[in-house]
């Protein structure tokens, strides 16, 4: 029956969540890719696709699928991620993945936001909040992103068990890896101010940050608040919650932090993920040189 989840895709998603310990976001994205691929192949081949039929997939079929997806507006970066998900799905199904090069994509260099702009942004978000406790909540979340380098999902996954706060915070990141990050006094103060004002009880095993009705805070609410604030402040569209984490990394690197320490603070699995920030800092220094050096 059309529209029902495909068993192979469902099994793949369960494997990612249970055995690979991938994040819910990754599980959803890869599950959706597997469903799209199986649906495309059913139309492409003119029949239902089971494990035996899937074993016949070839390079031409993958090229046809990617061409179909590109026709739906997929960018190079998104097409590369789609191909990675397809390869993971086929490998899970025990299929030798046909050779196929993904689209070449340049690695984007994150653009840091200046400390003054970050404070202005957080203030604007707080000022637009409907209630004082929501203003305190939004300020605290944004301070965790910039002041501690947390991903938005990591910040919103914090529970009441982190209170009372000390000088460090244990954070569970991607693939359930736990790291310890230092807390600046300003960040501690922001979180504590929110906890004092929250109309909802702080429960050790429940989310610390709550939505207006008391449920877990949806990251989309923070993203929309930042989007509105950056428009009012005239900041660029790349000023997102995740850009605050990029800025945390870039500013630390610029003040002398070494890459290994930064890797630990950010929770990157490999040093290569952290090294991208050296390009950010070099680009910033070049801009300073060009604008300030009398012979530039």
């Amino acid at each position: 029956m059309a529209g029902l989840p495909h068993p192979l895709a469902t099994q793949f998603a369960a494997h990612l969540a249970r055995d690979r310990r991938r994040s819910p976001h990754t599980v959803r994205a890869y599950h959706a890719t597997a469903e799209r691929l199986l649906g495309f192949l059913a139309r492409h081949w003119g029949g239902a696709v089971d494990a035996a039929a899937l074993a016949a997939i070839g390079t031409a079929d993958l090229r046809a699928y990617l061409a179909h997806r590109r026709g739906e507006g997929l960018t190079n970066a998104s097409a590369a991620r789609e191909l990675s998900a397809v390869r993971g799905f086929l490998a899970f199904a025990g299929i030798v993945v046909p050779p196929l090069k993904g689209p070449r994509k340049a690695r984007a260099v994150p653009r840091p936001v200046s400390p003054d702009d970050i404070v202005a942004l957080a203030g604007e978000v707080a000022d637009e909040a409907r209630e004082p406790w929501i203003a305190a909540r939004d300020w605290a979340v944004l301070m965790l992103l910039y002041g501690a380098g947390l991903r938005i999902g990591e910040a919103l996954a914090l529970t009441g068990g982190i209170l009372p706060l000390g000088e460090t915070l244990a954070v569970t990141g991607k693939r359930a890896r736990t790291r310890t990050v230092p807390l600046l006094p300003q960040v501690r103060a922001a979180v504590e101010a929110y906890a004092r004002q929250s109309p909802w009880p702080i429960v050790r095993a429940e989310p610390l940050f709550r939505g207006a009705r008391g449920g877990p805070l949806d990251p989309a609410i923070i993203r929309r608040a930042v989007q509105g604030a950056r428009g009012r402040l005239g900041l660029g569209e790349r000023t997102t919650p995740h850009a605050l984490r990029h800025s945390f990394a870039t500013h630390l690197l610029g003040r002398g932090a070494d890459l290994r320490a930064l890797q630990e603070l950010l929770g990157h699995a490999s040093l290569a993920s952290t090294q991208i920030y050296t390009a950010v800092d070099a680009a910033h220094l070049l801009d300073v040189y060009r604008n300030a050096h009398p012979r530039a």
Side-chain angles (χ1 to χ4, degrees), residues 140-158 162 169-172 179-183 187 209 241-246 248 265-266:
V141 170
L142 295 180
M143 287 301 100
L144 281 167
L145 304 190
Y146 176 64
L150 271 59
R151 301 176 178 93
I152 188 168
E154 293 170 344
L156 300 192
L158 295 174
I162 70 169
L169 179 66
V171 178
T172 301
R179 68 186 188 276
T180 300
V181 298
L183 286 181
V187 178
F209 295 108
H242 200 65
L244 303 191
R245 173 174 153 91
H246 286 318
F248 163 85
L265 287 174
L266 292 171

Side-chain angles (χ1 to χ4, degrees), residues 110-119 121 141-152 154 167-169 171 179-187 238-268 273-274 276-278 280-281:
R111 293 185 179 178
V113 184
S114 75
D116 287 346
D117 283 346
I118 290 171
V119 172
L121 179 75
V141 170
L142 295 180
M143 287 301 100
L144 281 167
L145 304 190
Y146 176 64
L150 271 59
R151 301 176 178 93
I152 188 168
E154 293 170 344
E167 294 186 350
T168 62
L169 179 66
V171 178
R179 68 186 188 276
T180 300
V181 298
L183 286 181
L184 297 171
Q186 300 93 320
V187 178
R238 291 194 180 188
T239 304
T240 64
H242 200 65
L244 303 191
R245 173 174 153 91
H246 286 318
S247 302
F248 163 85
T250 306
H251 297 159
L252 281 185
L253 189 64
R255 293 179 71 95
D258 70 84
L259 280 176
R260 285 292 179 189
L262 195 55
Q263 177 189 356
E264 292 298 322
L265 287 174
L266 292 171
H268 284 161
S273 298
T274 311
I276 188 171
Y277 293 104
T278 61
V280 177
D281 195 55

Side-chain angles (χ1 to χ4, degrees), residues 32-164:
T33 296
E35 291 281 7
R36 282 193 295 266
L37 175 67
L38 291 164
F40 171 82
L41 291 176
R43 297 187 298 272
H44 188 57
W45 290 341
V49 179
D50 56 14
L54 188 61
I57 193 169
T59 301
D61 300 310
L62 286 182
R63 289 191 185 280
Y65 172 69
L66 287 178
H68 166 72
R69 292 289 288 137
R70 293 299 294 270
E72 294 180 334
L74 226 61
T75 63
N76 277 355
S78 296
R81 293 181 67 186
E82 187 93 351
L83 182 57
S84 176
V86 166
R87 285 175 172 148
F89 172 56
L90 294 179
F92 164 76
I95 296 167
V96 177
V97 181
L100 182 64
K101 290 184 178 180
R104 297 183 64 182
K105 60 187 180 76
R107 193 171 189 186
V109 174
R111 293 185 179 178
V113 184
S114 75
D116 287 346
D117 283 346
I118 290 171
V119 172
L121 179 75
E124 179 69 15
V125 168
D127 288 346
E128 286 296 305
R130 291 179 298 170
E131 299 181 41
W133 78 268
I134 293 178
R137 178 199 70 190
D138 294 352
W139 176 271
V141 170
L142 295 180
M143 287 301 100
L144 281 167
L145 304 190
Y146 176 64
L150 271 59
R151 301 176 178 93
I152 188 168
E154 293 170 344
L156 300 192
L158 295 174
T159 68
I162 70 169
L163 299 174

Side-chain angles (χ1 to χ4, degrees), residues 205-236:
E206 293 183 8
L208 173 64
F209 295 108
R210 305 293 190 94
R213 297 183 180 179
L217 179 59
D218 188 336
I221 292 174
I222 298 296
R223 292 191 180 101
R224 283 197 297 269
V226 168
Q227 183 178 12
R230 79 185 182 214
R232 292 189 295 272
L233 293 174
L235 299 175

Side-chain angles (χ1 to χ4, degrees), residues 175-196:
R175 303 188 187 183
R177 285 191 295 267
T178 300
R179 68 186 188 276
T180 300
V181 298
L183 286 181
L184 297 171
Q186 300 93 320
V187 178
R188 289 203 305 273
V191 175
E192 289 165 351
Y194 158 72
R196 286 194 302 272

